[in-house]
Amino acid sequence: MATADISKSSPPLKDELDIVIPTIRNLDFLEMWRPFFQPYHLIIVQDGDPSKVIKVPEGFDYELYNRNDINKILGPKSSCISFKDSACRCFGYMVSKKKYIFTIDDDCFVAKDPTGKEINALEQHIKNLLTPSTPFFFNTLYDPYREGADFVRGYPFSLREGAPTAVSHGLWLNIPDYDAPTQLVKPRERNTRFVDAVMTIPKGTLFPMCGMNLAFNRELIGPAMYFGLMGDGQPIGRYDDMWAGWCTKVICDHLGLGIKTGLPYIWHSKASNPFVNLKKEYKGIYWQEELIPFFQSATLSKDATTVQKCYLELSKQVKAKLGKVDDYFNKLADAMVTWVEAWDELNPSAGGSTGVTNGSAK
């Protein structure tokens, strides 16, 4: 049975993981994360005014890209990268050359577990990614690969090898990730519940993916992690991670990959303005009643053996079925194709074959 090899003497996956941070401000929040993040390479994607100087605390190894850099690197294909929205973070996924990505928002701080110990969120994400998932049969003790747990009686032995884990989705203490209507109804609500559990999201079940505390295997699922067209010039915002999550889940189900959710927790420090959020989310709240059934019924062909092929098939279905909902989805479907083309240009070694076939990493 696979177990995560986490050595205390050396940071795990030090040379195999990039930390991607979208931001519009100085990254003072990194000081709190220094004990955990300093050994790793950071990719900072600066949103908004490219002439603004973003200050990064000393001692961090990083590269920073602003809008001018994105335009220079991608040329006309830069149209697929959102502007004035944290969706721009997916540019960092594209330019990374590492196997794993951890992405975090700049208003997220180190949380503490119920004993008062600081939580190394990155280490827990790595444990999640380096152990298999169980998408085909639910284990009532949750993640059987965690220390102190196993498969329960009645769990099929033929499925105990699990599936490769593509995504680790972490959670948040303090400010919950609520939509604007819920924020308005519960303005003072805070999440104080620490649930010590990691579970695999079952095959065929969608989930709302939040991008502020997220890690994934870039080689397994990277080309599906497109955060869409959001923000400046677009009729919708705050659905970037949702869109990526729905697309990713459909593709993971098709390719036999797993997605885990639960630990680790981070401390989400700042509630965004619910009135601004409502303006961004309004169309999305309406459209998602059409989007969810679309993704629930989406199927991919046997020819879709790589993430890119899956994603291009999905883009055609978006245009054919969601284009009727609003013309925005025709633009989004075109951007999905542009994204894959740009991904393959910047990652030529993948040759369009990034991903898995029949649940086995290529």
Side-chain angles (χ1 to χ4, degrees):
M1 190 178 296
T3 56
D5 181 19
I6 302 293
S7 168
K8 291 183 180 178
S9 58
S10 175
L13 302 181
K14 176 180 176 293
D15 299 319
E16 297 181 72
L17 181 144
D18 279 333
I19 299 174
V20 175
I21 304 167
T23 192
I24 58 170
R25 60 182 64 87
N26 294 335
L27 294 180
D28 301 328
F29 92 113
L30 285 173
E31 285 296 351
M32 192 177 193
W33 286 103
R34 188 181 290 276
F36 307 125
F37 288 2
Q38 191 161 357
Y40 296 89
H41 180 68
L42 312 181
I43 297 178
I44 300 162
V45 184
Q46 178 181 342
D47 196 17
D49 182 2
S51 67
K52 181 180 178 181
V53 177
I54 299 291
K55 294 180 181 178
V56 182
E58 289 186 13
F60 286 93
D61 172 36
Y62 70 93
E63 53 193 298
L64 187 150
Y65 298 92
N66 61 31
R67 191 70 205 187
N68 293 339
D69 300 315
I70 295 171
N71 292 342
K72 184 177 179 181
I73 292 168
L74 295 184
K77 290 185 174 65
S78 64
S79 61
C80 72
I81 304 297
S82 298
F83 185 57
K84 294 187 178 177
D85 192 280
S86 65
C88 67
R89 78 176 77 220
C90 62
F91 177 77
Y93 310 160
M94 184 186 282
V95 295
S96 171
K97 301 303 176 190
K98 305 289 177 63
K99 183 175 181 179
Y100 300 97
I101 294 286
F102 170 55
T103 185
I104 185 170
D105 284 6
D106 60 13
D107 62 349
C108 295
F109 296 93
V110 179
K112 293 182 179 180
D113 68 17
T115 69
K117 181 184 177 184
E118 290 192 336
I119 297 167
N120 184 346
L122 181 52
E123 183 179 64
Q124 180 63 51
H125 275 301
I126 291 170
K127 287 179 179 178
N128 292 347
L129 290 170
L130 293 186
T131 52
S133 296
T134 53
F136 308 117
F137 201 94
F138 190 80
N139 190 53
T140 51
L141 273 184
Y142 308 122
D143 190 346
Y145 304 100
R146 285 188 73 194
E147 190 175 340
D150 211 320
F151 292 98
V152 297
R153 180 171 57 89
Y155 200 100
F157 283 87
S158 60
L159 293 177
R160 294 191 182 195
E161 192 174 305
T165 301
V167 181
S168 172
H169 178 257
L171 298 174
W172 347 268
L173 292 172
N174 196 37
I175 306 293
D177 187 29
Y178 285 162
D179 52 40
T182 309
Q183 279 184 294
L184 288 165
V185 173
K186 298 179 173 182
R188 294 182 179 86
E189 184 156 291
R190 299 294 181 265
N191 182 33
T192 58
R193 295 177 65 239
F194 180 95
V195 180
D196 186 12
V198 177
M199 64 186 75
T200 298
I201 300 168
K203 181 179 181 181
T205 300
L206 294 174
F207 76 111
M209 188 176 83
C210 172
M212 73 171 113
N213 175 23
L214 181 73
F216 60 92
N217 184 322
R218 186 176 171 277
E219 291 184 0
L220 285 183
I221 201 64
M225 279 288 179
Y226 175 48
F227 276 45
L229 292 175
M230 303 282 152
D232 194 49
Q234 307 301 337
I236 186 175
R238 285 174 55 83
Y239 273 84
D240 50 338
D241 42 9
M242 299 292 134
W243 182 262
W246 296 328
C247 292
T248 294
K249 188 59 167 65
V250 168
I251 292 172
C252 281
D253 285 353
H254 176 74
L255 294 176
L257 300 172
I259 297 178
K260 293 180 180 180
T261 187
L263 301 181
Y265 282 90
I266 50 84
W267 180 269
H268 187 207
S269 66
K270 188 178 68 178
S272 48
N273 186 312
F275 296 100
V276 174
N277 289 347
L278 185 60
K279 188 176 179 181
K280 293 178 179 179
E281 292 173 2
Y282 172 73
K283 287 183 181 292
I285 292 169
Y286 175 70
W287 287 341
Q288 72 183 20
E289 301 308 316
E290 305 264 2
L291 298 180
I292 301 305
F294 164 78
F295 283 107
Q296 286 174 327
S297 62
T299 56
L300 300 169
S301 73
K302 291 181 180 179
D303 295 329
T305 53
T306 69
V307 177
Q308 281 96 328
K309 289 178 181 178
C310 290
Y311 204 68
L312 292 175
E313 278 197 12
L314 206 49
S315 73
K316 291 178 182 176
Q317 295 180 38
V318 168
K319 179 165 280 194
K321 296 181 180 179
L322 296 180
K324 301 171 186 175
V325 176
D326 192 274
D327 189 52
Y328 164 75
F329 292 102
N330 290 319
K331 289 169 57 181
L332 180 54
D334 291 339
M336 292 168 73
V337 175
T338 303
W339 160 264
V340 169
E341 291 172 351
W343 182 283
D344 285 343
E345 282 182 16
L346 290 185
N347 299 276
S349 59
S353 62
T354 299
V356 301
T357 305
N358 298 325
S360 301
K362 282 194 170 182

